[in-house]
Amino acid sequence: MKIGSIVQVRTYTEYLVKTPVDRSDGYVTASGIPPGTYVMINAREGKVIGIVTNVLHNVKEDYLPYLPEGKQEVFLPYATDYRSSYLIVLGIGNLVDGKPSHELSFTPGINDLVEMMAAEDIRAFHLQDGRASFAYYRRLQRSVDPAIVASAIDCAARAMPDCAPMLRALKKLAERDA
């Protein structure tokens, strides 16, 4: 399912995704995407895999009282998209030619499409040589709130039920470090 597109690459690992406010053309709204959700960004070099870490909502009308009265009339016609919703995504790896890497070797560009990862894609990203791998876990743990880490582990557990015991242990570790 489509989420939106990249509007800002803040750092090598953090991206801002603009999402539609209302459900349209197969897009999922930001309020329907919980933190910890795995996403796939279609970049030129391949795919960037990331995890949603936060949701932001913005209303441009809040700025109108601060504009001089003459400027408000000029600004208003351009404020048709007065509501904006954004997701903050943390990049955790790449997927090039179907091969997963838990290190970032490239970033997405502006306007690259962002989609929610299907369960089989999450599974494929975490399996390397037939074994489950969470090599990005420590980086993720240092970067975001433990509740988001736990949510991401729950999302991976739904996609990989055969790895449930390992993921329960990883989640306990994340919650203990909180």
Side-chain angles (χ1 to χ4, degrees), residues 131-155:
R131 300 178 66 189
S133 173
F134 289 85
Y136 63 87
Y137 172 75
R138 287 287 179 203
R139 270 185 295 124
L140 181 66
Q141 188 182 27
R142 287 190 304 264
S143 302
V144 298
D145 186 70
I148 295 170
V149 175
S151 181
I153 291 170
D154 287 341
C155 187

mmCIF file of all heavy atoms in Angstrom, residues 131-155:
data_model
loop_
_atom_site.group_PDB
_atom_site.id
_atom_site.type_symbol
_atom_site.label_atom_id
_atom_site.label_comp_id
_atom_site.label_asym_id
_atom_site.label_seq_id
_atom_site.Cartn_x
_atom_site.Cartn_y
_atom_site.Cartn_z
ATOM 1 N N ARG A 131 18.773 -17.676 7.455
ATOM 2 C CA ARG A 131 18.712 -17.442 8.901
ATOM 3 C C ARG A 131 18.223 -16.024 9.165
ATOM 4 O O ARG A 131 18.562 -15.096 8.453
ATOM 5 C CB ARG A 131 20.085 -17.646 9.523
ATOM 6 C CG ARG A 131 20.615 -19.069 9.296
ATOM 7 C CD ARG A 131 21.971 -19.257 9.864
ATOM 8 N NE ARG A 131 21.872 -19.153 11.319
ATOM 9 C CZ ARG A 131 22.919 -19.106 12.115
ATOM 10 N NH1 ARG A 131 24.129 -19.142 11.613
ATOM 11 N NH2 ARG A 131 22.760 -19.025 13.420
ATOM 12 N N ALA A 132 17.462 -15.883 10.243
ATOM 13 C CA ALA A 132 16.947 -14.563 10.617
ATOM 14 C C ALA A 132 18.082 -13.683 11.118
ATOM 15 O O ALA A 132 18.946 -14.126 11.868
ATOM 16 C CB ALA A 132 15.886 -14.704 11.692
ATOM 17 N N SER A 133 18.060 -12.429 10.666
ATOM 18 C CA SER A 133 19.096 -11.485 11.071
ATOM 19 C C SER A 133 18.464 -10.134 11.405
ATOM 20 O O SER A 133 17.643 -9.621 10.644
ATOM 21 C CB SER A 133 20.113 -11.306 9.941
ATOM 22 O OG SER A 133 21.015 -10.272 10.260
ATOM 23 N N PHE A 134 18.869 -9.585 12.534
ATOM 24 C CA PHE A 134 18.442 -8.250 12.954
ATOM 25 C C PHE A 134 19.694 -7.420 13.241
ATOM 26 O O PHE A 134 19.832 -6.833 14.303
ATOM 27 C CB PHE A 134 17.543 -8.341 14.195
ATOM 28 C CG PHE A 134 16.198 -8.919 13.897
ATOM 29 C CD1 PHE A 134 16.005 -10.290 13.874
ATOM 30 C CD2 PHE A 134 15.142 -8.095 13.595
ATOM 31 C CE1 PHE A 134 14.781 -10.830 13.580
ATOM 32 C CE2 PHE A 134 13.897 -8.628 13.297
ATOM 33 C CZ PHE A 134 13.718 -9.998 13.284
ATOM 34 N N ALA A 135 20.586 -7.368 12.270
ATOM 35 C CA ALA A 135 21.870 -6.694 12.445
ATOM 36 C C ALA A 135 21.706 -5.198 12.725
ATOM 37 O O ALA A 135 22.593 -4.584 13.312
ATOM 38 C CB ALA A 135 22.736 -6.901 11.202
ATOM 39 N N TYR A 136 20.594 -4.618 12.344
ATOM 40 C CA TYR A 136 20.354 -3.194 12.561
ATOM 41 C C TYR A 136 19.803 -2.898 13.954
ATOM 42 O O TYR A 136 19.629 -1.740 14.319
ATOM 43 C CB TYR A 136 19.365 -2.662 11.515
ATOM 44 C CG TYR A 136 18.008 -3.311 11.603
ATOM 45 C CD1 TYR A 136 17.037 -2.813 12.456
ATOM 46 C CD2 TYR A 136 17.701 -4.439 10.849
ATOM 47 C CE1 TYR A 136 15.796 -3.418 12.567
ATOM 48 C CE2 TYR A 136 16.463 -5.043 10.942
ATOM 49 C CZ TYR A 136 15.518 -4.522 11.795
ATOM 50 O OH TYR A 136 14.289 -5.128 11.891
ATOM 51 N N TYR A 137 19.527 -3.915 14.751
ATOM 52 C CA TYR A 137 18.829 -3.745 16.029
ATOM 53 C C TYR A 137 19.524 -2.737 16.955
ATOM 54 O O TYR A 137 18.882 -1.867 17.522
ATOM 55 C CB TYR A 137 18.668 -5.098 16.735
ATOM 56 C CG TYR A 137 18.124 -4.965 18.130
ATOM 57 C CD1 TYR A 137 16.776 -4.679 18.339
ATOM 58 C CD2 TYR A 137 18.945 -5.073 19.239
ATOM 59 C CE1 TYR A 137 16.272 -4.532 19.611
ATOM 60 C CE2 TYR A 137 18.447 -4.926 20.521
ATOM 61 C CZ TYR A 137 17.116 -4.656 20.694
ATOM 62 O OH TYR A 137 16.616 -4.491 21.952
ATOM 63 N N ARG A 138 20.822 -2.851 17.156
ATOM 64 C CA ARG A 138 21.531 -1.941 18.085
ATOM 65 C C ARG A 138 21.452 -0.492 17.611
ATOM 66 O O ARG A 138 21.259 0.423 18.418
ATOM 67 C CB ARG A 138 23.004 -2.363 18.253
ATOM 68 C CG ARG A 138 23.159 -3.610 19.077
ATOM 69 C CD ARG A 138 22.887 -3.279 20.527
ATOM 70 N NE ARG A 138 23.006 -4.495 21.321
ATOM 71 C CZ ARG A 138 22.433 -4.659 22.481
ATOM 72 N NH1 ARG A 138 21.725 -3.705 23.010
ATOM 73 N NH2 ARG A 138 22.569 -5.779 23.140
ATOM 74 N N ARG A 139 21.599 -0.269 16.299
ATOM 75 C CA ARG A 139 21.479 1.093 15.767
ATOM 76 C C ARG A 139 20.080 1.642 16.011
ATOM 77 O O ARG A 139 19.909 2.802 16.394
ATOM 78 C CB ARG A 139 21.762 1.119 14.264
ATOM 79 C CG ARG A 139 23.192 1.338 13.923
ATOM 80 C CD ARG A 139 23.408 1.473 12.428
ATOM 81 N NE ARG A 139 23.073 0.202 11.773
ATOM 82 C CZ ARG A 139 22.182 0.074 10.788
ATOM 83 N NH1 ARG A 139 21.543 1.106 10.333
ATOM 84 N NH2 ARG A 139 21.931 -1.106 10.256
ATOM 85 N N LEU A 140 19.083 0.800 15.785
ATOM 86 C CA LEU A 140 17.699 1.202 16.002
ATOM 87 C C LEU A 140 17.458 1.514 17.469
ATOM 88 O O LEU A 140 16.841 2.521 17.817
ATOM 89 C CB LEU A 140 16.756 0.090 15.530
ATOM 90 C CG LEU A 140 15.265 0.352 15.666
ATOM 91 C CD1 LEU A 140 14.840 1.487 14.750
ATOM 92 C CD2 LEU A 140 14.480 -0.912 15.344
ATOM 93 N N GLN A 141 17.969 0.681 18.339
ATOM 94 C CA GLN A 141 17.798 0.848 19.783
ATOM 95 C C GLN A 141 18.417 2.165 20.271
ATOM 96 O O GLN A 141 17.873 2.826 21.146
ATOM 97 C CB GLN A 141 18.417 -0.341 20.505
ATOM 98 C CG GLN A 141 18.144 -0.369 21.980
ATOM 99 C CD GLN A 141 18.816 -1.548 22.642
ATOM 100 O OE1 GLN A 141 19.842 -2.044 22.162
ATOM 101 N NE2 GLN A 141 18.251 -2.006 23.733
ATOM 102 N N ARG A 142 19.545 2.559 19.701
ATOM 103 C CA ARG A 142 20.201 3.815 20.088
ATOM 104 C C ARG A 142 19.488 5.039 19.517
ATOM 105 O O ARG A 142 19.624 6.133 20.036
ATOM 106 C CB ARG A 142 21.653 3.823 19.634
ATOM 107 C CG ARG A 142 22.562 2.922 20.427
ATOM 108 C CD ARG A 142 24.026 3.156 20.079
ATOM 109 N NE ARG A 142 24.314 2.995 18.666
ATOM 110 C CZ ARG A 142 24.782 1.876 18.099
ATOM 111 N NH1 ARG A 142 24.998 0.820 18.833
ATOM 112 N NH2 ARG A 142 25.023 1.833 16.807
ATOM 113 N N SER A 143 18.737 4.852 18.431
ATOM 114 C CA SER A 143 18.167 5.983 17.709
ATOM 115 C C SER A 143 16.753 6.369 18.113
ATOM 116 O O SER A 143 16.375 7.523 17.974
ATOM 117 C CB SER A 143 18.151 5.684 16.211
ATOM 118 O OG SER A 143 19.441 5.413 15.748
ATOM 119 N N VAL A 144 15.950 5.394 18.566
ATOM 120 C CA VAL A 144 14.539 5.690 18.810
ATOM 121 C C VAL A 144 14.084 5.200 20.176
ATOM 122 O O VAL A 144 14.784 4.456 20.854
ATOM 123 C CB VAL A 144 13.632 5.085 17.708
ATOM 124 C CG1 VAL A 144 13.956 5.666 16.350
ATOM 125 C CG2 VAL A 144 13.732 3.584 17.675
ATOM 126 N N ASP A 145 12.902 5.600 20.541
ATOM 127 C CA ASP A 145 12.275 5.227 21.797
ATOM 128 C C ASP A 145 12.080 3.708 21.872
ATOM 129 O O ASP A 145 11.736 3.079 20.871
ATOM 130 C CB ASP A 145 10.925 5.945 21.863
ATOM 131 C CG ASP A 145 10.236 5.753 23.175
ATOM 132 O OD1 ASP A 145 10.715 6.309 24.191
ATOM 133 O OD2 ASP A 145 9.214 5.038 23.187
ATOM 134 N N PRO A 146 12.272 3.109 23.048
ATOM 135 C CA PRO A 146 12.091 1.653 23.189
ATOM 136 C C PRO A 146 10.700 1.151 22.791
ATOM 137 O O PRO A 146 10.561 0.036 22.312
ATOM 138 C CB PRO A 146 12.355 1.400 24.670
ATOM 139 C CG PRO A 146 13.216 2.534 25.103
ATOM 140 C CD PRO A 146 12.793 3.708 24.276
ATOM 141 N N ALA A 147 9.676 1.964 22.953
ATOM 142 C CA ALA A 147 8.325 1.551 22.557
ATOM 143 C C ALA A 147 8.228 1.362 21.044
ATOM 144 O O ALA A 147 7.537 0.464 20.562
ATOM 145 C CB ALA A 147 7.302 2.574 23.030
ATOM 146 N N ILE A 148 8.939 2.193 20.299
ATOM 147 C CA ILE A 148 8.951 2.059 18.839
ATOM 148 C C ILE A 148 9.728 0.814 18.437
ATOM 149 O O ILE A 148 9.326 0.086 17.522
ATOM 150 C CB ILE A 148 9.525 3.331 18.179
ATOM 151 C CG1 ILE A 148 8.596 4.515 18.466
ATOM 152 C CG2 ILE A 148 9.707 3.135 16.678
ATOM 153 C CD1 ILE A 148 9.153 5.853 18.085
ATOM 154 N N VAL A 149 10.827 0.541 19.132
ATOM 155 C CA VAL A 149 11.594 -0.678 18.871
ATOM 156 C C VAL A 149 10.710 -1.898 19.124
ATOM 157 O O VAL A 149 10.666 -2.829 18.309
ATOM 158 C CB VAL A 149 12.873 -0.739 19.738
ATOM 159 C CG1 VAL A 149 13.588 -2.060 19.557
ATOM 160 C CG2 VAL A 149 13.798 0.423 19.416
ATOM 161 N N ALA A 150 9.982 -1.899 20.230
ATOM 162 C CA ALA A 150 9.093 -3.019 20.562
ATOM 163 C C ALA A 150 8.001 -3.175 19.513
ATOM 164 O O ALA A 150 7.657 -4.291 19.118
ATOM 165 C CB ALA A 150 8.491 -2.814 21.946
ATOM 166 N N SER A 151 7.469 -2.062 19.028
ATOM 167 C CA SER A 151 6.438 -2.111 17.998
ATOM 168 C C SER A 151 6.985 -2.678 16.690
ATOM 169 O O SER A 151 6.305 -3.451 16.010
ATOM 170 C CB SER A 151 5.873 -0.712 17.782
ATOM 171 O OG SER A 151 4.864 -0.715 16.828
ATOM 172 N N ALA A 152 8.213 -2.298 16.336
ATOM 173 C CA ALA A 152 8.847 -2.831 15.126
ATOM 174 C C ALA A 152 9.089 -4.335 15.265
ATOM 175 O O ALA A 152 8.896 -5.093 14.314
ATOM 176 C CB ALA A 152 10.158 -2.101 14.844
ATOM 177 N N ILE A 153 9.484 -4.767 16.445
ATOM 178 C CA ILE A 153 9.701 -6.204 16.685
ATOM 179 C C ILE A 153 8.374 -6.953 16.575
ATOM 180 O O ILE A 153 8.320 -8.042 15.992
ATOM 181 C CB ILE A 153 10.376 -6.425 18.051
ATOM 182 C CG1 ILE A 153 11.808 -5.900 18.008
ATOM 183 C CG2 ILE A 153 10.361 -7.901 18.431
ATOM 184 C CD1 ILE A 153 12.503 -5.841 19.348
ATOM 185 N N ASP A 154 7.283 -6.371 17.088
ATOM 186 C CA ASP A 154 5.965 -6.991 16.954
ATOM 187 C C ASP A 154 5.568 -7.124 15.483
ATOM 188 O O ASP A 154 5.013 -8.144 15.074
ATOM 189 C CB ASP A 154 4.897 -6.177 17.692
ATOM 190 C CG ASP A 154 4.990 -6.308 19.202
ATOM 191 O OD1 ASP A 154 5.618 -7.285 19.683
ATOM 192 O OD2 ASP A 154 4.440 -5.430 19.898
ATOM 193 N N CYS A 155 5.853 -6.094 14.710
ATOM 194 C CA CYS A 155 5.546 -6.117 13.275
ATOM 195 C C CYS A 155 6.341 -7.230 12.584
ATOM 196 O O CYS A 155 5.800 -7.969 11.763
ATOM 197 C CB CYS A 155 5.873 -4.758 12.671
ATOM 198 S SG CYS A 155 5.368 -4.559 10.967
#
